[in-house]
Amino acid sequence: MAVTTRTLGRSGIEVSALGMGCWAIGGPWAEGTQPLGWGAVDDDESVRAVRRALDLGVTLFDTADTYGAGHSERVLGRALAGRRHEAVIASKWGYTFDEASRQATGEDASPAYLRRAVTDSLRRLDTDHIDLYQLHLADLSVPRAEALVGTCEDLVAEGLIRAYGWSTDRPDRATAFGHTAAGATAVQHTLSVLRDAPALLAVCDKYDLASINQAPLGMGLLTGKYTAASTLPRDDVRGLAPGWLEWFRGGRPAPEWLRRVGAVRAALTADGRTLAQGALGWIWARSGRTIPIPGCRTVAQVEENAAALHRGPLPADQFVEVERQLAALRTAALRDADRPHWPRPTH
């Protein structure tokens, strides 16, 4: 059964059940020599991809000020020119960067920076409001995050943002916002058939928050185009993967995650879906609050993902079969043989 819309938590904002992640369209940026983008992009193709997503019923576009050191927001604003009323824009703040050098420079959790950041994002996006504004500092302490709530509420009252949330994989952080922040309406966190998040989904249920799902396709592993022999370029964050990125090592897909993909491929594609469409269907079947935001930078990627909307959640029997296939893998300790320590590419 098709699933086309969901409610963005307690804000009441209606969004498409599928969003478009806009990290990749930001293009190259880095922290020192560590790439944080997905390599070179074609801005014209990015614009076409966003507009095609709108044509196909995708209304939620998730970006961040730091993606491409501001470039993702600029491209998204350009793509939505004349169609802003059709879109729900989610952005994030908290990390600092230099636009000219496209370098990440640190972080700033002060209320003053929050106000400056939203003003800058509005300018880059060429809009008068951001629908969902998310704290990007996943591990910020609860007291420091709570100190930002008053400013967030002021921004809502001033009409600069409609709602706010936190991008974090920490259930205690999500709980803090859900419990204390009246305008908080969403948690953005990792969720995929490869990496379940029961504790965060429970928080979303308890506090009526939307579950916005980053890496719903395992940063590309669930597209089916990567094998053990695949290598990624060093200007791609996956090619020179930082420590927090678990899906790839040494510029290659991590074997333990490829093994999980292999275990669920047949069940995810049993009714004729592509692997990516099956992975999105698993997320919708997992919870009625989930809104996956797979990253896209081409029209073809948008079209494949958007087609999943018409297939909807995985049927119950397929979902059960996927869970059966994954049960042993989720509970077993990863063996050393699955984790070869490849040499890190040289700079």
Side-chain angles (χ1 to χ4, degrees), residues 10-30:
R10 56 198 186 194
S11 70
I13 299 171
E14 185 177 85
V15 297
S16 54
L18 177 73
M20 175 177 165
C22 298
W23 178 6
I25 69 172
W29 57 297

Side-chain angles (χ1 to χ4, degrees), residues 104-168:
T105 57
E107 60 185 59
D108 191 333
S110 69
Y113 182 73
L114 162 55
R115 184 167 284 278
R116 186 163 70 251
V118 74
T119 300
D120 289 344
S121 286
L122 290 169
R123 172 177 47 79
R124 285 188 293 264
L125 288 162
D126 192 22
T127 186
D128 61 358
H129 71 281
I130 294 170
D131 299 284
L132 176 65
Y133 204 40
Q134 301 156 103
L135 175 59
H136 207 173
L137 304 177
D139 296 321
L140 191 67
S141 71
V142 168
R144 294 184 70 193
E146 289 177 338
L148 297 168
V149 170
T151 304
C152 287
E153 291 290 339
D154 289 344
L155 295 174
V156 172
E158 294 166 26
L160 298 181
I161 65 174
R162 295 175 69 190
Y164 54 92
W166 198 339
S167 178
T168 181

Side-chain angles (χ1 to χ4, degrees), residues 4-329:
T4 56
T5 63
R6 288 194 165 171
T7 302
L8 197 62
R10 56 198 186 194
S11 70
I13 299 171
E14 185 177 85
V15 297
S16 54
L18 177 73
M20 175 177 165
C22 298
W23 178 6
I25 69 172
W29 57 297
E31 183 176 22
T33 57
Q34 171 65 62
L36 295 175
W38 294 58
V41 291
D42 178 340
D43 289 345
D44 291 338
E45 178 68 4
S46 298
V47 168
R48 287 190 290 268
V50 170
R51 292 176 179 169
R52 183 60 175 151
L54 281 173
D55 293 341
L56 295 173
V58 174
T59 62
L60 176 64
F61 298 88
D62 180 85
T63 185
D65 57 2
T66 194
Y67 294 164
H71 192 66
S72 175
E73 289 185 328
R74 292 185 187 280
V75 172
L76 182 59
R78 173 186 159 195
L80 294 178
R83 303 185 69 176
R84 173 65 180 93
H85 61 287
E86 301 177 49
V88 175
I89 295 177
S91 195
K92 310 179 194 76
W93 91 94
Y95 290 108
T96 59
F97 54 91
D98 179 74
E99 288 195 50
S101 64
R102 289 202 172 195
Q103 280 284 322
T105 57
E107 60 185 59
D108 191 333
S110 69
Y113 182 73
L114 162 55
R115 184 167 284 278
R116 186 163 70 251
V118 74
T119 300
D120 289 344
S121 286
L122 290 169
R123 172 177 47 79
R124 285 188 293 264
L125 288 162
D126 192 22
T127 186
D128 61 358
H129 71 281
I130 294 170
D131 299 284
L132 176 65
Y133 204 40
Q134 301 156 103
L135 175 59
H136 207 173
L137 304 177
D139 296 321
L140 191 67
S141 71
V142 168
R144 294 184 70 193
E146 289 177 338
L148 297 168
V149 170
T151 304
C152 287
E153 291 290 339
D154 289 344
L155 295 174
V156 172
E158 294 166 26
L160 298 181
I161 65 174
R162 295 175 69 190
Y164 54 92
W166 198 339
S167 178
T168 181
D169 286 320
R170 301 283 293 269
D172 60 328
R173 269 57 172 181
T175 296
F177 254 33
H179 179 67
T180 64
T185 195
V187 179
Q188 183 169 148
H189 62 92
T190 302
L191 178 70
S192 73
V193 67
L194 301 179
R195 172 68 76 194
D196 199 3
L200 279 159
L201 290 174
V203 172
C204 291
D205 283 338
K206 182 175 182 178
Y207 294 106
D208 191 16
L209 304 173
S211 165
I212 299 178
N213 312 130
Q214 60 189 17
L217 301 181
M219 296 187 78
L221 292 183
L222 286 161
T223 64
K225 68 181 182 180
Y226 294 111
T227 69
S230 299
T231 58
L232 289 102
R234 286 186 294 170
D235 65 348
D236 187 316
V237 66
R238 299 167 297 176
L240 193 63
W244 51 263
L245 198 161
E246 61 184 337
W247 313 108
F248 294 82
R249 286 195 305 279
R252 304 184 212 170
E256 66 272 19
W257 294 112
L258 282 179
R259 190 158 62 99
R260 292 191 183 199
V261 173
V264 297
R265 181 187 295 270
L268 290 174
T269 60
D271 61 355
R273 303 171 196 245
T274 66
L275 180 60
Q277 291 165 356
L280 296 172
W282 180 91
I283 289 176
W284 290 320
R286 179 67 179 84
S287 166
R289 297 184 177 277
T290 53
I291 307 168
I293 52 168
C296 301
R297 49 182 167 177
T298 68
V299 170
Q301 291 169 339
V302 164
E303 290 176 340
E304 179 179 359
N305 293 338
L309 286 167
H310 302 290
R311 291 186 170 272
L314 284 186
D317 58 341
Q318 274 183 265
F319 184 83
V320 168
E321 177 60 18
V322 171
E323 295 304 289
R324 188 184 73 79
Q325 295 285 356
L326 283 175
L329 290 171

